[in-house]
Amino acid sequence: MGDQTVSDDLITDLESTENIQSVAVKSQLREEMDSLYETTKTTVYIMIILSACLALAVIFNISSINIFERKRDMATLKVLGYHKGEIRSLVNTENFFITTFGCFIGVIFGAILFKFVLASAESEEMYIPYNVSFSMILLSIVLTYLFTILANLMLQRKINKIDMVESLKSVE
């Protein structure tokens, strides 16, 4: 308790000195940074969860639009004797090609955007190192493929319910 009083008195004396603008105590700075870190960590986790939901929604919508636009083609394949599993396989393969292209472009532009955001957040007092590990890039690609698989599973029933007669009757 005595050390705290001496420390408080010393801080008060230093702050009252004319040439000293401010006094920072390492333990107080550490507490403030720990508190800021916890708040930031929670915010980042929320952003990650919301980003995952958004990624799934985007992949699902792109796949759904793809199926809707190609309904006539799929009905033609059914008439020609293709089984439901073969048609699903064609759609899934196409979605995986789109995902592969998206991952390739996403990694390139994501790295550029990440570097830009970090550079704009830097200041003279704070340097943020640009460090993206290969494992993080690999994790994002794996998650993207998992979301594609999930979207494909969610759309299987839609593919199976394509009515050949109605689809082929429709005018383009």
Side-chain angles (χ1 to χ4, degrees):
M1 192 81 145
D3 289 341
Q4 183 65 34
T5 307
V6 171
S7 177
D8 290 342
D9 291 341
L10 180 60
I11 292 170
T12 305
D13 289 343
L14 287 173
E15 286 176 339
S16 64
T17 305
E18 186 177 322
N19 294 332
I20 297 177
Q21 292 180 354
S22 68
V23 177
V25 179
K26 190 174 181 178
S27 62
Q28 289 175 343
L29 289 175
R30 181 175 296 278
E31 287 175 15
E32 290 172 9
M33 289 305 292
D34 287 344
S35 174
L36 180 64
Y37 173 72
E38 288 301 318
T39 305
T40 304
K41 190 168 68 169
T42 303
T43 305
V44 168
Y45 287 150
I46 291 170
M47 289 176 62
I48 288 170
I49 291 168
L50 293 176
S51 297
C53 293
L54 180 63
L56 179 61
V58 167
I59 291 170
F60 179 83
N61 282 334
I62 289 172
S63 300
S64 186
I65 290 169
N66 183 23
I67 291 169
F68 179 76
E69 288 180 352
R70 305 224 5 247
K71 199 179 270 191
R72 189 176 176 98
D73 298 337
M74 290 180 213
T76 302
L77 290 174
K78 280 185 176 182
V79 169
L80 292 174
Y82 279 73
H83 298 288
K84 291 177 184 179
E86 292 171 316
I87 295 171
R88 279 195 315 263
S89 177
L90 286 171
V91 172
N92 292 347
T93 302
E94 186 173 326
N95 286 342
F96 283 121
F97 278 122
I98 292 169
T99 300
T100 301
F101 178 74
C103 285
F104 180 72
I105 298 299
V107 166
I108 292 170
F109 285 113
I112 293 168
L113 182 63
F114 182 63
K115 201 170 199 174
F116 174 75
V117 168
L118 288 184
S120 62
E122 279 184 4
S123 66
E124 289 182 20
E125 296 85 26
M126 182 174 65
Y127 169 74
I128 305 171
Y130 175 74
N131 184 14
V132 179
S133 66
F134 178 74
S135 62
M136 292 309 296
I137 293 172
L138 188 62
L139 177 65
S140 66
I141 291 171
V142 168
L143 286 175
T144 304
Y145 276 101
L146 288 175
F147 292 143
T148 301
I149 291 169
L150 184 60
N152 287 342
L153 291 173
M154 291 166 50
L155 290 168
Q156 277 185 0
R157 194 170 20 163
K158 193 173 194 174
I159 295 169
N160 291 339
K161 286 187 174 183
I162 293 175
D163 184 18
M164 293 183 288
V165 177
E166 284 298 316
S167 296
L168 292 173
K169 274 200 279 186
S170 67
V171 179
E172 288 185 356

PDB file of all heavy atoms in Angstrom, residues 137-167:
ATOM      1  N   ILE A 137      -4.622 -18.326 -45.012  1.00  0.00           N
ATOM      2  CA  ILE A 137      -5.121 -18.338 -46.392  1.00  0.00           C
ATOM      3  C   ILE A 137      -5.725 -19.698 -46.700  1.00  0.00           C
ATOM      4  O   ILE A 137      -6.821 -19.796 -47.271  1.00  0.00           O
ATOM      5  CB  ILE A 137      -3.991 -17.984 -47.381  1.00  0.00           C
ATOM      6  CG1 ILE A 137      -3.554 -16.533 -47.182  1.00  0.00           C
ATOM      7  CG2 ILE A 137      -4.427 -18.222 -48.819  1.00  0.00           C
ATOM      8  CD1 ILE A 137      -2.324 -16.140 -47.955  1.00  0.00           C
ATOM      9  N   LEU A 138      -5.036 -20.754 -46.298  1.00  0.00           N
ATOM     10  CA  LEU A 138      -5.542 -22.106 -46.523  1.00  0.00           C
ATOM     11  C   LEU A 138      -6.862 -22.331 -45.784  1.00  0.00           C
ATOM     12  O   LEU A 138      -7.803 -22.911 -46.335  1.00  0.00           O
ATOM     13  CB  LEU A 138      -4.494 -23.135 -46.076  1.00  0.00           C
ATOM     14  CG  LEU A 138      -4.782 -24.585 -46.407  1.00  0.00           C
ATOM     15  CD1 LEU A 138      -4.862 -24.789 -47.914  1.00  0.00           C
ATOM     16  CD2 LEU A 138      -3.707 -25.479 -45.824  1.00  0.00           C
ATOM     17  N   LEU A 139      -6.961 -21.837 -44.557  1.00  0.00           N
ATOM     18  CA  LEU A 139      -8.199 -21.970 -43.790  1.00  0.00           C
ATOM     19  C   LEU A 139      -9.358 -21.263 -44.482  1.00  0.00           C
ATOM     20  O   LEU A 139     -10.472 -21.802 -44.566  1.00  0.00           O
ATOM     21  CB  LEU A 139      -8.013 -21.414 -42.379  1.00  0.00           C
ATOM     22  CG  LEU A 139      -9.252 -21.423 -41.488  1.00  0.00           C
ATOM     23  CD1 LEU A 139      -9.699 -22.849 -41.199  1.00  0.00           C
ATOM     24  CD2 LEU A 139      -8.987 -20.674 -40.194  1.00  0.00           C
ATOM     25  N   SER A 140      -9.121 -20.068 -45.003  1.00  0.00           N
ATOM     26  CA  SER A 140     -10.197 -19.341 -45.685  1.00  0.00           C
ATOM     27  C   SER A 140     -10.636 -20.069 -46.956  1.00  0.00           C
ATOM     28  O   SER A 140     -11.834 -20.115 -47.263  1.00  0.00           O
ATOM     29  CB  SER A 140      -9.771 -17.910 -46.000  1.00  0.00           C
ATOM     30  OG  SER A 140      -8.729 -17.888 -46.939  1.00  0.00           O
ATOM     31  N   ILE A 141      -9.703 -20.662 -47.673  1.00  0.00           N
ATOM     32  CA  ILE A 141     -10.055 -21.420 -48.882  1.00  0.00           C
ATOM     33  C   ILE A 141     -10.846 -22.674 -48.514  1.00  0.00           C
ATOM     34  O   ILE A 141     -11.870 -22.983 -49.139  1.00  0.00           O
ATOM     35  CB  ILE A 141      -8.784 -21.767 -49.690  1.00  0.00           C
ATOM     36  CG1 ILE A 141      -8.191 -20.487 -50.287  1.00  0.00           C
ATOM     37  CG2 ILE A 141      -9.076 -22.787 -50.776  1.00  0.00           C
ATOM     38  CD1 ILE A 141      -6.832 -20.664 -50.927  1.00  0.00           C
ATOM     39  N   VAL A 142     -10.410 -23.383 -47.474  1.00  0.00           N
ATOM     40  CA  VAL A 142     -11.122 -24.585 -47.033  1.00  0.00           C
ATOM     41  C   VAL A 142     -12.535 -24.235 -46.582  1.00  0.00           C
ATOM     42  O   VAL A 142     -13.509 -24.935 -46.930  1.00  0.00           O
ATOM     43  CB  VAL A 142     -10.339 -25.313 -45.912  1.00  0.00           C
ATOM     44  CG1 VAL A 142     -11.180 -26.371 -45.238  1.00  0.00           C
ATOM     45  CG2 VAL A 142      -9.067 -25.925 -46.472  1.00  0.00           C
ATOM     46  N   LEU A 143     -12.686 -23.156 -45.827  1.00  0.00           N
ATOM     47  CA  LEU A 143     -14.022 -22.728 -45.384  1.00  0.00           C
ATOM     48  C   LEU A 143     -14.914 -22.367 -46.567  1.00  0.00           C
ATOM     49  O   LEU A 143     -16.100 -22.690 -46.579  1.00  0.00           O
ATOM     50  CB  LEU A 143     -13.912 -21.557 -44.413  1.00  0.00           C
ATOM     51  CG  LEU A 143     -13.426 -21.898 -43.011  1.00  0.00           C
ATOM     52  CD1 LEU A 143     -13.234 -20.630 -42.191  1.00  0.00           C
ATOM     53  CD2 LEU A 143     -14.382 -22.844 -42.309  1.00  0.00           C
ATOM     54  N   THR A 144     -14.341 -21.729 -47.567  1.00  0.00           N
ATOM     55  CA  THR A 144     -15.117 -21.379 -48.759  1.00  0.00           C
ATOM     56  C   THR A 144     -15.624 -22.636 -49.458  1.00  0.00           C
ATOM     57  O   THR A 144     -16.785 -22.706 -49.874  1.00  0.00           O
ATOM     58  CB  THR A 144     -14.267 -20.528 -49.720  1.00  0.00           C
ATOM     59  OG1 THR A 144     -13.796 -19.372 -49.028  1.00  0.00           O
ATOM     60  CG2 THR A 144     -15.069 -20.097 -50.934  1.00  0.00           C
ATOM     61  N   TYR A 145     -14.765 -23.651 -49.571  1.00  0.00           N
ATOM     62  CA  TYR A 145     -15.203 -24.914 -50.181  1.00  0.00           C
ATOM     63  C   TYR A 145     -16.253 -25.614 -49.321  1.00  0.00           C
ATOM     64  O   TYR A 145     -17.203 -26.202 -49.848  1.00  0.00           O
ATOM     65  CB  TYR A 145     -14.012 -25.839 -50.445  1.00  0.00           C
ATOM     66  CG  TYR A 145     -13.324 -25.520 -51.743  1.00  0.00           C
ATOM     67  CD1 TYR A 145     -12.149 -24.790 -51.773  1.00  0.00           C
ATOM     68  CD2 TYR A 145     -13.864 -25.922 -52.955  1.00  0.00           C
ATOM     69  CE1 TYR A 145     -11.531 -24.478 -52.958  1.00  0.00           C
ATOM     70  CE2 TYR A 145     -13.250 -25.620 -54.156  1.00  0.00           C
ATOM     71  CZ  TYR A 145     -12.082 -24.895 -54.157  1.00  0.00           C
ATOM     72  OH  TYR A 145     -11.486 -24.583 -55.341  1.00  0.00           O
ATOM     73  N   LEU A 146     -16.115 -25.539 -48.000  1.00  0.00           N
ATOM     74  CA  LEU A 146     -17.131 -26.128 -47.126  1.00  0.00           C
ATOM     75  C   LEU A 146     -18.481 -25.427 -47.292  1.00  0.00           C
ATOM     76  O   LEU A 146     -19.529 -26.080 -47.317  1.00  0.00           O
ATOM     77  CB  LEU A 146     -16.675 -26.087 -45.666  1.00  0.00           C
ATOM     78  CG  LEU A 146     -15.556 -27.042 -45.286  1.00  0.00           C
ATOM     79  CD1 LEU A 146     -15.121 -26.801 -43.838  1.00  0.00           C
ATOM     80  CD2 LEU A 146     -15.979 -28.483 -45.475  1.00  0.00           C
ATOM     81  N   PHE A 147     -18.458 -24.104 -47.428  1.00  0.00           N
ATOM     82  CA  PHE A 147     -19.694 -23.363 -47.657  1.00  0.00           C
ATOM     83  C   PHE A 147     -20.300 -23.739 -49.013  1.00  0.00           C
ATOM     84  O   PHE A 147     -21.520 -23.808 -49.153  1.00  0.00           O
ATOM     85  CB  PHE A 147     -19.469 -21.857 -47.575  1.00  0.00           C
ATOM     86  CG  PHE A 147     -19.137 -21.377 -46.197  1.00  0.00           C
ATOM     87  CD1 PHE A 147     -18.228 -20.357 -46.010  1.00  0.00           C
ATOM     88  CD2 PHE A 147     -19.730 -21.926 -45.079  1.00  0.00           C
ATOM     89  CE1 PHE A 147     -17.920 -19.902 -44.731  1.00  0.00           C
ATOM     90  CE2 PHE A 147     -19.429 -21.483 -43.800  1.00  0.00           C
ATOM     91  CZ  PHE A 147     -18.525 -20.473 -43.637  1.00  0.00           C
ATOM     92  N   THR A 148     -19.459 -23.984 -50.004  1.00  0.00           N
ATOM     93  CA  THR A 148     -19.956 -24.404 -51.310  1.00  0.00           C
ATOM     94  C   THR A 148     -20.618 -25.778 -51.215  1.00  0.00           C
ATOM     95  O   THR A 148     -21.689 -25.994 -51.787  1.00  0.00           O
ATOM     96  CB  THR A 148     -18.807 -24.431 -52.337  1.00  0.00           C
ATOM     97  OG1 THR A 148     -18.236 -23.118 -52.424  1.00  0.00           O
ATOM     98  CG2 THR A 148     -19.290 -24.864 -53.712  1.00  0.00           C
ATOM     99  N   ILE A 149     -19.994 -26.684 -50.486  1.00  0.00           N
ATOM    100  CA  ILE A 149     -20.584 -28.019 -50.291  1.00  0.00           C
ATOM    101  C   ILE A 149     -21.923 -27.894 -49.572  1.00  0.00           C
ATOM    102  O   ILE A 149     -22.915 -28.531 -49.963  1.00  0.00           O
ATOM    103  CB  ILE A 149     -19.612 -28.938 -49.517  1.00  0.00           C
ATOM    104  CG1 ILE A 149     -18.396 -29.271 -50.370  1.00  0.00           C
ATOM    105  CG2 ILE A 149     -20.315 -30.209 -49.044  1.00  0.00           C
ATOM    106  CD1 ILE A 149     -17.262 -29.940 -49.615  1.00  0.00           C
ATOM    107  N   LEU A 150     -21.978 -27.061 -48.539  1.00  0.00           N
ATOM    108  CA  LEU A 150     -23.222 -26.870 -47.794  1.00  0.00           C
ATOM    109  C   LEU A 150     -24.306 -26.277 -48.695  1.00  0.00           C
ATOM    110  O   LEU A 150     -25.464 -26.724 -48.672  1.00  0.00           O
ATOM    111  CB  LEU A 150     -22.970 -25.975 -46.578  1.00  0.00           C
ATOM    112  CG  LEU A 150     -24.145 -25.743 -45.647  1.00  0.00           C
ATOM    113  CD1 LEU A 150     -24.657 -27.059 -45.073  1.00  0.00           C
ATOM    114  CD2 LEU A 150     -23.733 -24.819 -44.514  1.00  0.00           C
ATOM    115  N   ALA A 151     -23.955 -25.300 -49.505  1.00  0.00           N
ATOM    116  CA  ALA A 151     -24.925 -24.697 -50.430  1.00  0.00           C
ATOM    117  C   ALA A 151     -25.404 -25.732 -51.446  1.00  0.00           C
ATOM    118  O   ALA A 151     -26.595 -25.793 -51.769  1.00  0.00           O
ATOM    119  CB  ALA A 151     -24.308 -23.498 -51.133  1.00  0.00           C
ATOM    120  N   ASN A 152     -24.489 -26.553 -51.944  1.00  0.00           N
ATOM    121  CA  ASN A 152     -24.876 -27.608 -52.893  1.00  0.00           C
ATOM    122  C   ASN A 152     -25.844 -28.589 -52.251  1.00  0.00           C
ATOM    123  O   ASN A 152     -26.811 -29.017 -52.884  1.00  0.00           O
ATOM    124  CB  ASN A 152     -23.644 -28.352 -53.422  1.00  0.00           C
ATOM    125  CG  ASN A 152     -22.847 -27.527 -54.413  1.00  0.00           C
ATOM    126  OD1 ASN A 152     -23.337 -26.545 -54.968  1.00  0.00           O
ATOM    127  ND2 ASN A 152     -21.609 -27.907 -54.635  1.00  0.00           N
ATOM    128  N   LEU A 153     -25.599 -28.948 -51.007  1.00  0.00           N
ATOM    129  CA  LEU A 153     -26.505 -29.863 -50.307  1.00  0.00           C
ATOM    130  C   LEU A 153     -27.876 -29.220 -50.110  1.00  0.00           C
ATOM    131  O   LEU A 153     -28.910 -29.890 -50.230  1.00  0.00           O
ATOM    132  CB  LEU A 153     -25.909 -30.277 -48.960  1.00  0.00           C
ATOM    133  CG  LEU A 153     -24.681 -31.186 -49.005  1.00  0.00           C
ATOM    134  CD1 LEU A 153     -24.093 -31.371 -47.609  1.00  0.00           C
ATOM    135  CD2 LEU A 153     -25.030 -32.531 -49.624  1.00  0.00           C
ATOM    136  N   MET A 154     -27.886 -27.945 -49.813  1.00  0.00           N
ATOM    137  CA  MET A 154     -29.147 -27.243 -49.592  1.00  0.00           C
ATOM    138  C   MET A 154     -29.954 -27.118 -50.895  1.00  0.00           C
ATOM    139  O   MET A 154     -31.186 -27.034 -50.858  1.00  0.00           O
ATOM    140  CB  MET A 154     -28.885 -25.852 -48.992  1.00  0.00           C
ATOM    141  CG  MET A 154     -28.357 -25.910 -47.577  1.00  0.00           C
ATOM    142  SD  MET A 154     -27.658 -24.369 -46.929  1.00  0.00           S
ATOM    143  CE  MET A 154     -28.895 -23.167 -47.264  1.00  0.00           C
ATOM    144  N   LEU A 155     -29.279 -27.109 -52.037  1.00  0.00           N
ATOM    145  CA  LEU A 155     -29.947 -26.922 -53.323  1.00  0.00           C
ATOM    146  C   LEU A 155     -30.289 -28.231 -54.036  1.00  0.00           C
ATOM    147  O   LEU A 155     -30.888 -28.202 -55.113  1.00  0.00           O
ATOM    148  CB  LEU A 155     -29.079 -26.043 -54.232  1.00  0.00           C
ATOM    149  CG  LEU A 155     -28.980 -24.586 -53.802  1.00  0.00           C
ATOM    150  CD1 LEU A 155     -27.884 -23.873 -54.569  1.00  0.00           C
ATOM    151  CD2 LEU A 155     -30.308 -23.885 -54.003  1.00  0.00           C
ATOM    152  N   GLN A 156     -29.919 -29.358 -53.470  1.00  0.00           N
ATOM    153  CA  GLN A 156     -30.193 -30.645 -54.132  1.00  0.00           C
ATOM    154  C   GLN A 156     -31.680 -30.840 -54.403  1.00  0.00           C
ATOM    155  O   GLN A 156     -32.063 -31.290 -55.480  1.00  0.00           O
ATOM    156  CB  GLN A 156     -29.677 -31.803 -53.283  1.00  0.00           C
ATOM    157  CG  GLN A 156     -28.219 -32.074 -53.457  1.00  0.00           C
ATOM    158  CD  GLN A 156     -27.779 -33.297 -52.682  1.00  0.00           C
ATOM    159  OE1 GLN A 156     -28.564 -33.956 -52.013  1.00  0.00           O
ATOM    160  NE2 GLN A 156     -26.510 -33.621 -52.781  1.00  0.00           N
ATOM    161  N   ARG A 157     -32.515 -30.506 -53.448  1.00  0.00           N
ATOM    162  CA  ARG A 157     -33.955 -30.701 -53.607  1.00  0.00           C
ATOM    163  C   ARG A 157     -34.490 -29.819 -54.736  1.00  0.00           C
ATOM    164  O   ARG A 157     -35.361 -30.232 -55.496  1.00  0.00           O
ATOM    165  CB  ARG A 157     -34.669 -30.384 -52.296  1.00  0.00           C
ATOM    166  CG  ARG A 157     -36.081 -30.869 -52.270  1.00  0.00           C
ATOM    167  CD  ARG A 157     -36.712 -30.783 -50.925  1.00  0.00           C
ATOM    168  NE  ARG A 157     -36.053 -29.861 -50.007  1.00  0.00           N
ATOM    169  CZ  ARG A 157     -36.605 -29.396 -48.924  1.00  0.00           C
ATOM    170  NH1 ARG A 157     -37.815 -29.755 -48.594  1.00  0.00           N
ATOM    171  NH2 ARG A 157     -35.965 -28.572 -48.135  1.00  0.00           N
ATOM    172  N   LYS A 158     -33.940 -28.621 -54.847  1.00  0.00           N
ATOM    173  CA  LYS A 158     -34.365 -27.709 -55.915  1.00  0.00           C
ATOM    174  C   LYS A 158     -34.042 -28.303 -57.284  1.00  0.00           C
ATOM    175  O   LYS A 158     -34.835 -28.183 -58.216  1.00  0.00           O
ATOM    176  CB  LYS A 158     -33.679 -26.356 -55.725  1.00  0.00           C
ATOM    177  CG  LYS A 158     -34.239 -25.247 -56.545  1.00  0.00           C
ATOM    178  CD  LYS A 158     -33.590 -23.933 -56.128  1.00  0.00           C
ATOM    179  CE  LYS A 158     -34.370 -22.764 -56.674  1.00  0.00           C
ATOM    180  NZ  LYS A 158     -33.871 -21.494 -56.199  1.00  0.00           N
ATOM    181  N   ILE A 159     -32.891 -28.927 -57.401  1.00  0.00           N
ATOM    182  CA  ILE A 159     -32.496 -29.556 -58.661  1.00  0.00           C
ATOM    183  C   ILE A 159     -33.408 -30.750 -58.942  1.00  0.00           C
ATOM    184  O   ILE A 159     -33.857 -30.948 -60.081  1.00  0.00           O
ATOM    185  CB  ILE A 159     -31.011 -30.003 -58.616  1.00  0.00           C
ATOM    186  CG1 ILE A 159     -30.100 -28.784 -58.498  1.00  0.00           C
ATOM    187  CG2 ILE A 159     -30.650 -30.806 -59.854  1.00  0.00           C
ATOM    188  CD1 ILE A 159     -28.659 -29.114 -58.188  1.00  0.00           C
ATOM    189  N   ASN A 160     -33.701 -31.536 -57.926  1.00  0.00           N
ATOM    190  CA  ASN A 160     -34.541 -32.723 -58.104  1.00  0.00           C
ATOM    191  C   ASN A 160     -35.977 -32.373 -58.491  1.00  0.00           C
ATOM    192  O   ASN A 160     -36.655 -33.160 -59.137  1.00  0.00           O
ATOM    193  CB  ASN A 160     -34.556 -33.570 -56.834  1.00  0.00           C
ATOM    194  CG  ASN A 160     -33.215 -34.228 -56.571  1.00  0.00           C
ATOM    195  OD1 ASN A 160     -32.400 -34.388 -57.475  1.00  0.00           O
ATOM    196  ND2 ASN A 160     -32.971 -34.580 -55.333  1.00  0.00           N
ATOM    197  N   LYS A 161     -36.443 -31.184 -58.088  1.00  0.00           N
ATOM    198  CA  LYS A 161     -37.837 -30.795 -58.334  1.00  0.00           C
ATOM    199  C   LYS A 161     -38.044 -30.108 -59.685  1.00  0.00           C
ATOM    200  O   LYS A 161     -39.138 -29.624 -59.948  1.00  0.00           O
ATOM    201  CB  LYS A 161     -38.328 -29.870 -57.219  1.00  0.00           C
ATOM    202  CG  LYS A 161     -38.606 -30.586 -55.926  1.00  0.00           C
ATOM    203  CD  LYS A 161     -39.234 -29.637 -54.936  1.00  0.00           C
ATOM    204  CE  LYS A 161     -39.641 -30.380 -53.682  1.00  0.00           C
ATOM    205  NZ  LYS A 161     -40.316 -29.509 -52.736  1.00  0.00           N
ATOM    206  N   ILE A 162     -37.031 -30.033 -60.515  1.00  0.00           N
ATOM    207  CA  ILE A 162     -37.194 -29.387 -61.813  1.00  0.00           C
ATOM    208  C   ILE A 162     -38.200 -30.201 -62.627  1.00  0.00           C
ATOM    209  O   ILE A 162     -38.025 -31.396 -62.851  1.00  0.00           O
ATOM    210  CB  ILE A 162     -35.845 -29.267 -62.556  1.00  0.00           C
ATOM    211  CG1 ILE A 162     -34.937 -28.307 -61.814  1.00  0.00           C
ATOM    212  CG2 ILE A 162     -36.057 -28.814 -63.998  1.00  0.00           C
ATOM    213  CD1 ILE A 162     -33.542 -28.199 -62.372  1.00  0.00           C
ATOM    214  N   ASP A 163     -39.258 -29.529 -63.063  1.00  0.00           N
ATOM    215  CA  ASP A 163     -40.302 -30.164 -63.864  1.00  0.00           C
ATOM    216  C   ASP A 163     -39.894 -30.078 -65.329  1.00  0.00           C
ATOM    217  O   ASP A 163     -39.797 -28.985 -65.896  1.00  0.00           O
ATOM    218  CB  ASP A 163     -41.637 -29.464 -63.621  1.00  0.00           C
ATOM    219  CG  ASP A 163     -42.793 -30.134 -64.336  1.00  0.00           C
ATOM    220  OD1 ASP A 163     -42.647 -31.309 -64.731  1.00  0.00           O
ATOM    221  OD2 ASP A 163     -43.840 -29.474 -64.490  1.00  0.00           O
ATOM    222  N   MET A 164     -39.674 -31.247 -65.938  1.00  0.00           N
ATOM    223  CA  MET A 164     -39.206 -31.280 -67.325  1.00  0.00           C
ATOM    224  C   MET A 164     -40.190 -30.605 -68.269  1.00  0.00           C
ATOM    225  O   MET A 164     -39.807 -29.795 -69.106  1.00  0.00           O
ATOM    226  CB  MET A 164     -38.991 -32.731 -67.777  1.00  0.00           C
ATOM    227  CG  MET A 164     -37.871 -33.446 -67.086  1.00  0.00           C
ATOM    228  SD  MET A 164     -37.625 -35.096 -67.730  1.00  0.00           S
ATOM    229  CE  MET A 164     -39.050 -35.949 -67.076  1.00  0.00           C
ATOM    230  N   VAL A 165     -41.463 -30.929 -68.149  1.00  0.00           N
ATOM    231  CA  VAL A 165     -42.474 -30.431 -69.076  1.00  0.00           C
ATOM    232  C   VAL A 165     -42.589 -28.907 -68.976  1.00  0.00           C
ATOM    233  O   VAL A 165     -42.555 -28.199 -69.992  1.00  0.00           O
ATOM    234  CB  VAL A 165     -43.835 -31.108 -68.806  1.00  0.00           C
ATOM    235  CG1 VAL A 165     -44.910 -30.540 -69.717  1.00  0.00           C
ATOM    236  CG2 VAL A 165     -43.717 -32.613 -68.980  1.00  0.00           C
ATOM    237  N   GLU A 166     -42.737 -28.390 -67.747  1.00  0.00           N
ATOM    238  CA  GLU A 166     -42.879 -26.944 -67.558  1.00  0.00           C
ATOM    239  C   GLU A 166     -41.639 -26.189 -68.028  1.00  0.00           C
ATOM    240  O   GLU A 166     -41.740 -25.133 -68.637  1.00  0.00           O
ATOM    241  CB  GLU A 166     -43.155 -26.621 -66.093  1.00  0.00           C
ATOM    242  CG  GLU A 166     -44.560 -26.914 -65.654  1.00  0.00           C
ATOM    243  CD  GLU A 166     -45.595 -26.097 -66.404  1.00  0.00           C
ATOM    244  OE1 GLU A 166     -45.384 -24.882 -66.598  1.00  0.00           O
ATOM    245  OE2 GLU A 166     -46.599 -26.681 -66.818  1.00  0.00           O
ATOM    246  N   SER A 167     -40.479 -26.731 -67.735  1.00  0.00           N
ATOM    247  CA  SER A 167     -39.238 -26.055 -68.109  1.00  0.00           C
ATOM    248  C   SER A 167     -39.070 -26.014 -69.612  1.00  0.00           C
ATOM    249  O   SER A 167     -38.605 -25.017 -70.161  1.00  0.00           O
ATOM    250  CB  SER A 167     -38.043 -26.753 -67.478  1.00  0.00           C
ATOM    251  OG  SER A 167     -38.110 -26.666 -66.081  1.00  0.00           O
TER     252      SER A 167
END
